[in-house]
Amino acid sequence: MTAEIITIGDEILIGQIVDTNSAFLGKELNKVGISIYQITSVQDDKNHILKALKEAEDNADIIIVTGGLGPTKDDITKHTICEYFNDTLVENKDVLAHIEHLFSTYISTPISDLNRRQAQVPSKAKVLMNQFGTAPGMWIEKNEKVFVSLPGVPYEMKGLITNEVIPALRKKFKFPYIKHRTLLTYGLGESAIANRIEAWEDALPDFIKLAYLPNLGRVRLRLSGITLDKAMLDAELEKQIALVLPQIEDIFVGFEEDISLEAIVGKQLTELGKTIAVAESCTGGQFAKAITANAGASKYFKGSIVSYATESKVNILDVPKKDIESYSVVSKEVAEAMADHVRKMFNSDYGISTTGNAGPSKGDSDAEVGTVWIAVANEDKVYSEVFNFGNHRDKVIMKATNKAFEMLQKEILKK
Amino acid sequence: MTAEIITIGDEILIGQIVDTNSAFLGKELNKVGISIYQITSVQDDKNHILKALKEAEDNADIIIVTGGLGPTKDDITKHTICEYFNDTLVENKDVLAHIEHLFSTYISTPISDLNRRQAQVPSKAKVLMNQFGTAPGMWIEKNEKVFVSLPGVPYEMKGLITNEVIPALRKKFKFPYIKHRTLLTYGLGESAIANRIEAWEDALPDFIKLAYLPNLGRVRLRLSGITLDKAMLDAELEKQIALVLPQIEDIFVGFEEDISLEAIVGKQLTELGKTIAVAESCTGGQFAKAITANAGASKYFKGSIVSYATESKVNILDVPKKDIESYSVVSKEVAEAMADHVRKMFNSDYGISTTGNAGPSKGDSDAEVGTVWIAVANEDKVYSEVFNFGNHRDKVIMKATNKAFEMLQKEILKK
């Protein structure tokens, strides 16, 4: 059973937006046992959409289309689908009532004909009610194949997939069992890992695929299998993991399965009843943002200070001015004072700090672009390390944030 | 002149990563006059890659392939390209020397045969040296069509596109002129905007396309044209913008063209010589992260405090404990105290604060999920507004951050 995802919109092709919908769709469909054959992003152009629909119908059993359902003239998906299925648009009373309700409740501008026209759907389509917006989803069947058209606004699409599309697909089809197990590692490159585990990799059974996913100082190892025999696949995956784990013990962080290192750290802190506070300079809020992306972060995250200006390090974080003058703002001494003081200010168990130069120019310090000091403090001591994360601003910020999480986790695991 | 982008990797199809490469490629190619026909994401599967290459060759003049060039066994792009072009791999001495140099300089593990094999390239390929990694880019021509294969690691791919691929394409082809002008608006929905500017939209010349791009309280209006006559298109776009601007004056923020509202605010602050400081609760660092994503933010961003725990609002930000007890932590009084105090702590011209409940549960306050107070302080006064951003955690965080930037900009523009 395979699916093809078609995302529609010139804004995707010219790179004005990043297509995050496809990743969500891929993950959710895959979870229930659907293999994604292909993701195709096409222009707001009738003939191109028709061609993509035809090819997807040839390639896959389930075709999910997103985008082009808005109220304005550049949105042509609904009319194109009508043409593809040789159908006409009819007004759906439930959708119209829903649109009128949304306008009367949340929107200050009056409802217009453009909005009302969003209640028109192809006569052959089953309507999927959109809880979070005005454009309904549509479900059309043809020769045992399913076509679903969804709005491109991410949270509207997500609501429809979770509440409507997945349950309906499970009702209609019987899917095989797909399982991925992803081992999160840090501190070693992919080829070094591959060399270490080569004998194990070569002996993997044919129905299990291994992939290496490197990203800024972290490598994920993903084992994937697809089968009708759930018990066999589960057992084999566990067996293979038990074989490889001793070989990567020193670099193994945890299992990903939709959990990030940030979430793992959060879980560990929650279990230990410990808290953290953060003083960020060059990472500029990225660490705090990553922590608070997890619901429940308020259990272990006390807060953070982004001391971007040098004077803020002195005034807010109480870093000794003479340390900044003697050692510069990017130094072991300043990093450690930041971690220690932020921990005390917030009365937390751990304090983490970053100070460095993300580039592109040298800023308030003489440190080379890419130089970052990261410090960790607990109630007994504070220590730090220095890194050079290269000369690419975003990369420096992300690598420094990743490394800070790595150092924090290593500190937590010492207990 | 059209291009097709092919991104290779099961991790894209199962949604384990978001394909950000395509957006970058789309934007960069489009800038020099290349229309993107389609983006196709395919599996790590030889036959699927061969099929995608064939279809792309039929559809487009330039085919850009990313991914599958790593050193490990799951990386099969290079061998598949060899098969497609009926070619064999040969070792390239310059690439080998580069790999050996990278290992001796930056990597602590010894170089292995897997790494050395990355120096092998198809004999028909011109090598594109990869400044930021071990896998080289490859350029192959066939019947006046160009195939380029690049590594999937984003910053490696980006370096190769900017330094090698774009200059080589410009040398080989003559491209038409493509121009987009994007008007950034806030505060009004897309259908309300469409109704307002309907007469103008209907009178647009055929060679100019208009698109509406709504996103969490902001709508972008994009005008696009493609032509051989640069002067004509530039003039017509300016003329049309001059016609529409008076109709959207109250909601117009600025022109996007690769500049975000965050960057516009940064520019305005820099010009005025003004500074800001931020106290974030429910936005958890997102505002600071968005500010510091711009190089040069240290000119106007003094810093921020993420006071995630209620006690931090009292201890660090000096919010009166009685206000929290009387009005709750999500209240006008607390938001305004946060904005006012953070401004004074950091000695900045403006202070911004957010306090709310992003969900999914109620947390330290009785406020409904989605309720957010945002306050703005200057040296004379502090004021605030309350919003309900719905019941979706990420959406609440992003909408609150966007709205805080909107309020900040309105405050700046008062001067």
Side-chain angles (χ1 to χ4, degrees), chain B residues 245-276:
Chain B
L245 268 186
Q247 303 176 48
I248 55 170
E249 214 170 13
D250 54 324
I251 56 169
F252 176 67
V253 179
F255 293 98
E256 185 185 59
E257 299 1 316
D258 287 355
I259 200 170
S260 58
L261 176 55
E262 292 73 17
I264 294 172
V265 167
K267 209 170 143 226
Q268 289 167 336
L269 287 166
T270 306
E271 281 166 11
L272 292 166
K274 300 283 185 183
T275 58
I276 64 166

PDB file of all heavy atoms in Angstrom, chain B residues 245-276:
ATOM      1  N   LEU B 245      -0.759  50.238  -3.150  1.00  0.00           N
ATOM      2  CA  LEU B 245      -0.322  50.641  -1.807  1.00  0.00           C
ATOM      3  C   LEU B 245      -1.326  51.510  -1.051  1.00  0.00           C
ATOM      4  O   LEU B 245      -1.594  51.261   0.126  1.00  0.00           O
ATOM      5  CB  LEU B 245       1.045  51.326  -1.874  1.00  0.00           C
ATOM      6  CG  LEU B 245       2.260  50.401  -1.698  1.00  0.00           C
ATOM      7  CD1 LEU B 245       3.543  51.229  -1.646  1.00  0.00           C
ATOM      8  CD2 LEU B 245       2.148  49.552  -0.444  1.00  0.00           C
ATOM      9  N   PRO B 246      -1.900  52.527  -1.707  1.00  0.00           N
ATOM     10  CA  PRO B 246      -2.850  53.367  -0.957  1.00  0.00           C
ATOM     11  C   PRO B 246      -4.057  52.568  -0.438  1.00  0.00           C
ATOM     12  O   PRO B 246      -4.668  52.950   0.549  1.00  0.00           O
ATOM     13  CB  PRO B 246      -3.302  54.400  -2.001  1.00  0.00           C
ATOM     14  CG  PRO B 246      -2.240  54.389  -3.052  1.00  0.00           C
ATOM     15  CD  PRO B 246      -1.689  53.011  -3.079  1.00  0.00           C
ATOM     16  N   GLN B 247      -4.360  51.450  -1.081  1.00  0.00           N
ATOM     17  CA  GLN B 247      -5.518  50.655  -0.668  1.00  0.00           C
ATOM     18  C   GLN B 247      -5.221  49.774   0.544  1.00  0.00           C
ATOM     19  O   GLN B 247      -6.141  49.230   1.157  1.00  0.00           O
ATOM     20  CB  GLN B 247      -5.992  49.766  -1.827  1.00  0.00           C
ATOM     21  CG  GLN B 247      -6.344  50.560  -3.086  1.00  0.00           C
ATOM     22  CD  GLN B 247      -6.707  49.645  -4.244  1.00  0.00           C
ATOM     23  OE1 GLN B 247      -7.495  48.711  -4.101  1.00  0.00           O
ATOM     24  NE2 GLN B 247      -6.136  49.908  -5.410  1.00  0.00           N
ATOM     25  N   ILE B 248      -3.939  49.567   0.860  1.00  0.00           N
ATOM     26  CA  ILE B 248      -3.601  48.674   1.979  1.00  0.00           C
ATOM     27  C   ILE B 248      -2.684  49.364   2.988  1.00  0.00           C
ATOM     28  O   ILE B 248      -2.005  48.720   3.781  1.00  0.00           O
ATOM     29  CB  ILE B 248      -2.920  47.378   1.466  1.00  0.00           C
ATOM     30  CG1 ILE B 248      -1.695  47.697   0.610  1.00  0.00           C
ATOM     31  CG2 ILE B 248      -3.908  46.500   0.690  1.00  0.00           C
ATOM     32  CD1 ILE B 248      -0.852  46.479   0.282  1.00  0.00           C
ATOM     33  N   GLU B 249      -2.719  50.685   2.938  1.00  0.00           N
ATOM     34  CA  GLU B 249      -1.810  51.500   3.752  1.00  0.00           C
ATOM     35  C   GLU B 249      -1.812  51.103   5.236  1.00  0.00           C
ATOM     36  O   GLU B 249      -0.769  51.022   5.874  1.00  0.00           O
ATOM     37  CB  GLU B 249      -2.254  52.959   3.635  1.00  0.00           C
ATOM     38  CG  GLU B 249      -1.139  53.946   3.682  1.00  0.00           C
ATOM     39  CD  GLU B 249      -1.672  55.346   3.312  1.00  0.00           C
ATOM     40  OE1 GLU B 249      -2.919  55.519   3.277  1.00  0.00           O
ATOM     41  OE2 GLU B 249      -0.849  56.227   3.078  1.00  0.00           O
ATOM     42  N   ASP B 250      -3.031  50.818   5.768  1.00  0.00           N
ATOM     43  CA  ASP B 250      -3.160  50.557   7.203  1.00  0.00           C
ATOM     44  C   ASP B 250      -2.606  49.208   7.631  1.00  0.00           C
ATOM     45  O   ASP B 250      -2.377  48.971   8.816  1.00  0.00           O
ATOM     46  CB  ASP B 250      -4.631  50.655   7.615  1.00  0.00           C
ATOM     47  CG  ASP B 250      -5.505  49.743   6.765  1.00  0.00           C
ATOM     48  OD1 ASP B 250      -5.217  49.606   5.554  1.00  0.00           O
ATOM     49  OD2 ASP B 250      -6.456  49.151   7.310  1.00  0.00           O
ATOM     50  N   ILE B 251      -2.385  48.294   6.681  1.00  0.00           N
ATOM     51  CA  ILE B 251      -1.913  46.950   7.040  1.00  0.00           C
ATOM     52  C   ILE B 251      -0.546  46.632   6.438  1.00  0.00           C
ATOM     53  O   ILE B 251      -0.003  45.553   6.631  1.00  0.00           O
ATOM     54  CB  ILE B 251      -2.921  45.863   6.578  1.00  0.00           C
ATOM     55  CG1 ILE B 251      -3.185  45.982   5.069  1.00  0.00           C
ATOM     56  CG2 ILE B 251      -4.214  45.956   7.369  1.00  0.00           C
ATOM     57  CD1 ILE B 251      -3.949  44.805   4.487  1.00  0.00           C
ATOM     58  N   PHE B 252       0.030  47.582   5.709  1.00  0.00           N
ATOM     59  CA  PHE B 252       1.283  47.346   4.992  1.00  0.00           C
ATOM     60  C   PHE B 252       2.480  47.495   5.926  1.00  0.00           C
ATOM     61  O   PHE B 252       2.586  48.464   6.668  1.00  0.00           O
ATOM     62  CB  PHE B 252       1.395  48.340   3.836  1.00  0.00           C
ATOM     63  CG  PHE B 252       2.684  48.262   3.077  1.00  0.00           C
ATOM     64  CD1 PHE B 252       2.999  47.150   2.312  1.00  0.00           C
ATOM     65  CD2 PHE B 252       3.602  49.311   3.131  1.00  0.00           C
ATOM     66  CE1 PHE B 252       4.191  47.074   1.604  1.00  0.00           C
ATOM     67  CE2 PHE B 252       4.800  49.242   2.430  1.00  0.00           C
ATOM     68  CZ  PHE B 252       5.084  48.125   1.675  1.00  0.00           C
ATOM     69  N   VAL B 253       3.384  46.500   5.907  1.00  0.00           N
ATOM     70  CA  VAL B 253       4.559  46.522   6.777  1.00  0.00           C
ATOM     71  C   VAL B 253       5.815  46.941   6.029  1.00  0.00           C
ATOM     72  O   VAL B 253       6.632  47.709   6.514  1.00  0.00           O
ATOM     73  CB  VAL B 253       4.825  45.120   7.360  1.00  0.00           C
ATOM     74  CG1 VAL B 253       6.058  45.154   8.238  1.00  0.00           C
ATOM     75  CG2 VAL B 253       3.625  44.611   8.123  1.00  0.00           C
ATOM     76  N   GLY B 254       5.989  46.377   4.845  1.00  0.00           N
ATOM     77  CA  GLY B 254       7.196  46.655   4.080  1.00  0.00           C
ATOM     78  C   GLY B 254       7.285  45.639   2.959  1.00  0.00           C
ATOM     79  O   GLY B 254       6.385  44.810   2.785  1.00  0.00           O
ATOM     80  N   PHE B 255       8.370  45.705   2.209  1.00  0.00           N
ATOM     81  CA  PHE B 255       8.569  44.743   1.133  1.00  0.00           C
ATOM     82  C   PHE B 255       9.412  43.597   1.651  1.00  0.00           C
ATOM     83  O   PHE B 255      10.401  43.824   2.346  1.00  0.00           O
ATOM     84  CB  PHE B 255       9.257  45.413  -0.056  1.00  0.00           C
ATOM     85  CG  PHE B 255       8.385  46.431  -0.709  1.00  0.00           C
ATOM     86  CD1 PHE B 255       8.524  47.772  -0.416  1.00  0.00           C
ATOM     87  CD2 PHE B 255       7.394  46.039  -1.590  1.00  0.00           C
ATOM     88  CE1 PHE B 255       7.697  48.724  -0.990  1.00  0.00           C
ATOM     89  CE2 PHE B 255       6.564  46.977  -2.182  1.00  0.00           C
ATOM     90  CZ  PHE B 255       6.713  48.323  -1.876  1.00  0.00           C
ATOM     91  N   GLU B 256       9.023  42.396   1.294  1.00  0.00           N
ATOM     92  CA  GLU B 256       9.738  41.263   1.854  1.00  0.00           C
ATOM     93  C   GLU B 256      11.092  41.061   1.181  1.00  0.00           C
ATOM     94  O   GLU B 256      12.121  41.234   1.811  1.00  0.00           O
ATOM     95  CB  GLU B 256       8.907  40.004   1.746  1.00  0.00           C
ATOM     96  CG  GLU B 256       9.587  38.849   2.442  1.00  0.00           C
ATOM     97  CD  GLU B 256       8.826  37.570   2.228  1.00  0.00           C
ATOM     98  OE1 GLU B 256       8.633  37.158   1.070  1.00  0.00           O
ATOM     99  OE2 GLU B 256       8.412  36.986   3.224  1.00  0.00           O
ATOM    100  N   GLU B 257      11.088  40.717  -0.105  1.00  0.00           N
ATOM    101  CA  GLU B 257      12.322  40.430  -0.862  1.00  0.00           C
ATOM    102  C   GLU B 257      13.450  39.969   0.056  1.00  0.00           C
ATOM    103  O   GLU B 257      14.429  40.688   0.312  1.00  0.00           O
ATOM    104  CB  GLU B 257      12.781  41.645  -1.651  1.00  0.00           C
ATOM    105  CG  GLU B 257      11.872  42.214  -2.711  1.00  0.00           C
ATOM    106  CD  GLU B 257      10.504  41.574  -2.936  1.00  0.00           C
ATOM    107  OE1 GLU B 257      10.379  40.326  -2.984  1.00  0.00           O
ATOM    108  OE2 GLU B 257       9.550  42.312  -3.075  1.00  0.00           O
ATOM    109  N   ASP B 258      13.264  38.809   0.602  1.00  0.00           N
ATOM    110  CA  ASP B 258      14.290  38.193   1.437  1.00  0.00           C
ATOM    111  C   ASP B 258      14.504  38.905   2.761  1.00  0.00           C
ATOM    112  O   ASP B 258      15.450  38.607   3.478  1.00  0.00           O
ATOM    113  CB  ASP B 258      15.625  38.107   0.711  1.00  0.00           C
ATOM    114  CG  ASP B 258      15.573  37.050  -0.347  1.00  0.00           C
ATOM    115  OD1 ASP B 258      14.548  36.344  -0.423  1.00  0.00           O
ATOM    116  OD2 ASP B 258      16.528  36.922  -1.093  1.00  0.00           O
ATOM    117  N   ILE B 259      13.647  39.868   3.069  1.00  0.00           N
ATOM    118  CA  ILE B 259      13.795  40.514   4.367  1.00  0.00           C
ATOM    119  C   ILE B 259      12.539  40.192   5.165  1.00  0.00           C
ATOM    120  O   ILE B 259      11.432  40.249   4.666  1.00  0.00           O
ATOM    121  CB  ILE B 259      14.028  42.027   4.202  1.00  0.00           C
ATOM    122  CG1 ILE B 259      14.647  42.598   5.464  1.00  0.00           C
ATOM    123  CG2 ILE B 259      12.756  42.767   3.854  1.00  0.00           C
ATOM    124  CD1 ILE B 259      15.120  44.028   5.302  1.00  0.00           C
ATOM    125  N   SER B 260      12.710  39.809   6.394  1.00  0.00           N
ATOM    126  CA  SER B 260      11.574  39.475   7.232  1.00  0.00           C
ATOM    127  C   SER B 260      11.152  40.712   8.015  1.00  0.00           C
ATOM    128  O   SER B 260      11.872  41.704   8.074  1.00  0.00           O
ATOM    129  CB  SER B 260      11.978  38.378   8.199  1.00  0.00           C
ATOM    130  OG  SER B 260      13.078  38.825   8.955  1.00  0.00           O
ATOM    131  N   LEU B 261       9.983  40.643   8.652  1.00  0.00           N
ATOM    132  CA  LEU B 261       9.578  41.737   9.539  1.00  0.00           C
ATOM    133  C   LEU B 261      10.644  41.949  10.614  1.00  0.00           C
ATOM    134  O   LEU B 261      10.968  43.078  10.971  1.00  0.00           O
ATOM    135  CB  LEU B 261       8.220  41.422  10.177  1.00  0.00           C
ATOM    136  CG  LEU B 261       7.709  42.433  11.209  1.00  0.00           C
ATOM    137  CD1 LEU B 261       7.655  43.846  10.663  1.00  0.00           C
ATOM    138  CD2 LEU B 261       6.328  42.029  11.720  1.00  0.00           C
ATOM    139  N   GLU B 262      11.228  40.850  11.085  1.00  0.00           N
ATOM    140  CA  GLU B 262      12.267  40.935  12.102  1.00  0.00           C
ATOM    141  C   GLU B 262      13.445  41.774  11.601  1.00  0.00           C
ATOM    142  O   GLU B 262      14.008  42.587  12.330  1.00  0.00           O
ATOM    143  CB  GLU B 262      12.763  39.533  12.488  1.00  0.00           C
ATOM    144  CG  GLU B 262      11.747  38.676  13.216  1.00  0.00           C
ATOM    145  CD  GLU B 262      10.610  38.155  12.327  1.00  0.00           C
ATOM    146  OE1 GLU B 262      10.750  38.177  11.089  1.00  0.00           O
ATOM    147  OE2 GLU B 262       9.572  37.756  12.879  1.00  0.00           O
ATOM    148  N   ALA B 263      13.815  41.546  10.340  1.00  0.00           N
ATOM    149  CA  ALA B 263      14.944  42.288   9.779  1.00  0.00           C
ATOM    150  C   ALA B 263      14.565  43.749   9.551  1.00  0.00           C
ATOM    151  O   ALA B 263      15.381  44.655   9.762  1.00  0.00           O
ATOM    152  CB  ALA B 263      15.395  41.640   8.471  1.00  0.00           C
ATOM    153  N   ILE B 264      13.305  43.974   9.133  1.00  0.00           N
ATOM    154  CA  ILE B 264      12.849  45.355   8.930  1.00  0.00           C
ATOM    155  C   ILE B 264      12.884  46.111  10.261  1.00  0.00           C
ATOM    156  O   ILE B 264      13.383  47.232  10.350  1.00  0.00           O
ATOM    157  CB  ILE B 264      11.418  45.376   8.346  1.00  0.00           C
ATOM    158  CG1 ILE B 264      11.412  44.785   6.917  1.00  0.00           C
ATOM    159  CG2 ILE B 264      10.860  46.808   8.324  1.00  0.00           C
ATOM    160  CD1 ILE B 264      10.028  44.578   6.325  1.00  0.00           C
ATOM    161  N   VAL B 265      12.369  45.479  11.313  1.00  0.00           N
ATOM    162  CA  VAL B 265      12.387  46.104  12.640  1.00  0.00           C
ATOM    163  C   VAL B 265      13.829  46.382  13.057  1.00  0.00           C
ATOM    164  O   VAL B 265      14.147  47.461  13.574  1.00  0.00           O
ATOM    165  CB  VAL B 265      11.676  45.190  13.674  1.00  0.00           C
ATOM    166  CG1 VAL B 265      11.966  45.659  15.098  1.00  0.00           C
ATOM    167  CG2 VAL B 265      10.173  45.172  13.426  1.00  0.00           C
ATOM    168  N   GLY B 266      14.720  45.427  12.793  1.00  0.00           N
ATOM    169  CA  GLY B 266      16.133  45.609  13.131  1.00  0.00           C
ATOM    170  C   GLY B 266      16.725  46.812  12.415  1.00  0.00           C
ATOM    171  O   GLY B 266      17.454  47.614  13.008  1.00  0.00           O
ATOM    172  N   LYS B 267      16.376  46.944  11.153  1.00  0.00           N
ATOM    173  CA  LYS B 267      16.888  48.057  10.349  1.00  0.00           C
ATOM    174  C   LYS B 267      16.372  49.388  10.898  1.00  0.00           C
ATOM    175  O   LYS B 267      17.121  50.360  11.030  1.00  0.00           O
ATOM    176  CB  LYS B 267      16.424  47.860   8.903  1.00  0.00           C
ATOM    177  CG  LYS B 267      17.346  48.455   7.875  1.00  0.00           C
ATOM    178  CD  LYS B 267      16.958  48.016   6.463  1.00  0.00           C
ATOM    179  CE  LYS B 267      17.181  49.151   5.493  1.00  0.00           C
ATOM    180  NZ  LYS B 267      16.084  49.375   4.567  1.00  0.00           N
ATOM    181  N   GLN B 268      15.078  49.407  11.231  1.00  0.00           N
ATOM    182  CA  GLN B 268      14.492  50.639  11.753  1.00  0.00           C
ATOM    183  C   GLN B 268      15.123  51.027  13.093  1.00  0.00           C
ATOM    184  O   GLN B 268      15.424  52.202  13.332  1.00  0.00           O
ATOM    185  CB  GLN B 268      12.970  50.469  11.892  1.00  0.00           C
ATOM    186  CG  GLN B 268      12.288  50.421  10.518  1.00  0.00           C
ATOM    187  CD  GLN B 268      10.845  49.934  10.580  1.00  0.00           C
ATOM    188  OE1 GLN B 268      10.455  49.233  11.512  1.00  0.00           O
ATOM    189  NE2 GLN B 268      10.062  50.284   9.563  1.00  0.00           N
ATOM    190  N   LEU B 269      15.336  50.029  13.951  1.00  0.00           N
ATOM    191  CA  LEU B 269      15.971  50.317  15.240  1.00  0.00           C
ATOM    192  C   LEU B 269      17.392  50.844  15.040  1.00  0.00           C
ATOM    193  O   LEU B 269      17.814  51.801  15.700  1.00  0.00           O
ATOM    194  CB  LEU B 269      15.998  49.059  16.115  1.00  0.00           C
ATOM    195  CG  LEU B 269      14.655  48.637  16.718  1.00  0.00           C
ATOM    196  CD1 LEU B 269      14.742  47.205  17.257  1.00  0.00           C
ATOM    197  CD2 LEU B 269      14.230  49.590  17.834  1.00  0.00           C
ATOM    198  N   THR B 270      18.121  50.210  14.120  1.00  0.00           N
ATOM    199  CA  THR B 270      19.500  50.637  13.855  1.00  0.00           C
ATOM    200  C   THR B 270      19.520  52.085  13.369  1.00  0.00           C
ATOM    201  O   THR B 270      20.319  52.898  13.831  1.00  0.00           O
ATOM    202  CB  THR B 270      20.146  49.718  12.798  1.00  0.00           C
ATOM    203  OG1 THR B 270      20.012  48.378  13.229  1.00  0.00           O
ATOM    204  CG2 THR B 270      21.620  50.044  12.609  1.00  0.00           C
ATOM    205  N   GLU B 271      18.608  52.410  12.444  1.00  0.00           N
ATOM    206  CA  GLU B 271      18.568  53.773  11.902  1.00  0.00           C
ATOM    207  C   GLU B 271      18.252  54.799  12.985  1.00  0.00           C
ATOM    208  O   GLU B 271      18.800  55.900  12.992  1.00  0.00           O
ATOM    209  CB  GLU B 271      17.521  53.856  10.784  1.00  0.00           C
ATOM    210  CG  GLU B 271      18.052  53.288   9.459  1.00  0.00           C
ATOM    211  CD  GLU B 271      16.942  53.051   8.441  1.00  0.00           C
ATOM    212  OE1 GLU B 271      15.803  53.512   8.685  1.00  0.00           O
ATOM    213  OE2 GLU B 271      17.215  52.389   7.428  1.00  0.00           O
ATOM    214  N   LEU B 272      17.358  54.417  13.912  1.00  0.00           N
ATOM    215  CA  LEU B 272      16.975  55.350  14.974  1.00  0.00           C
ATOM    216  C   LEU B 272      17.979  55.351  16.134  1.00  0.00           C
ATOM    217  O   LEU B 272      17.890  56.179  17.032  1.00  0.00           O
ATOM    218  CB  LEU B 272      15.592  54.980  15.524  1.00  0.00           C
ATOM    219  CG  LEU B 272      14.408  55.174  14.578  1.00  0.00           C
ATOM    220  CD1 LEU B 272      13.178  54.457  15.111  1.00  0.00           C
ATOM    221  CD2 LEU B 272      14.125  56.660  14.398  1.00  0.00           C
ATOM    222  N   GLY B 273      18.896  54.361  16.126  1.00  0.00           N
ATOM    223  CA  GLY B 273      19.826  54.244  17.248  1.00  0.00           C
ATOM    224  C   GLY B 273      19.141  53.816  18.536  1.00  0.00           C
ATOM    225  O   GLY B 273      19.550  54.195  19.629  1.00  0.00           O
ATOM    226  N   LYS B 274      18.060  53.060  18.413  1.00  0.00           N
ATOM    227  CA  LYS B 274      17.293  52.628  19.596  1.00  0.00           C
ATOM    228  C   LYS B 274      17.576  51.154  19.898  1.00  0.00           C
ATOM    229  O   LYS B 274      17.955  50.386  19.008  1.00  0.00           O
ATOM    230  CB  LYS B 274      15.791  52.796  19.336  1.00  0.00           C
ATOM    231  CG  LYS B 274      15.370  54.227  19.042  1.00  0.00           C
ATOM    232  CD  LYS B 274      15.307  55.055  20.304  1.00  0.00           C
ATOM    233  CE  LYS B 274      14.754  56.451  19.980  1.00  0.00           C
ATOM    234  NZ  LYS B 274      14.742  57.324  21.160  1.00  0.00           N
ATOM    235  N   THR B 275      17.322  50.775  21.138  1.00  0.00           N
ATOM    236  CA  THR B 275      17.593  49.392  21.546  1.00  0.00           C
ATOM    237  C   THR B 275      16.361  48.782  22.215  1.00  0.00           C
ATOM    238  O   THR B 275      15.485  49.499  22.704  1.00  0.00           O
ATOM    239  CB  THR B 275      18.756  49.356  22.558  1.00  0.00           C
ATOM    240  OG1 THR B 275      18.390  50.166  23.679  1.00  0.00           O
ATOM    241  CG2 THR B 275      20.050  49.873  21.953  1.00  0.00           C
ATOM    242  N   ILE B 276      16.337  47.445  22.227  1.00  0.00           N
ATOM    243  CA  ILE B 276      15.230  46.756  22.889  1.00  0.00           C
ATOM    244  C   ILE B 276      15.749  45.680  23.843  1.00  0.00           C
ATOM    245  O   ILE B 276      16.868  45.198  23.705  1.00  0.00           O
ATOM    246  CB  ILE B 276      14.263  46.083  21.888  1.00  0.00           C
ATOM    247  CG1 ILE B 276      14.965  44.982  21.095  1.00  0.00           C
ATOM    248  CG2 ILE B 276      13.650  47.094  20.956  1.00  0.00           C
ATOM    249  CD1 ILE B 276      14.010  44.078  20.365  1.00  0.00           C
TER     250      ILE B 276
END
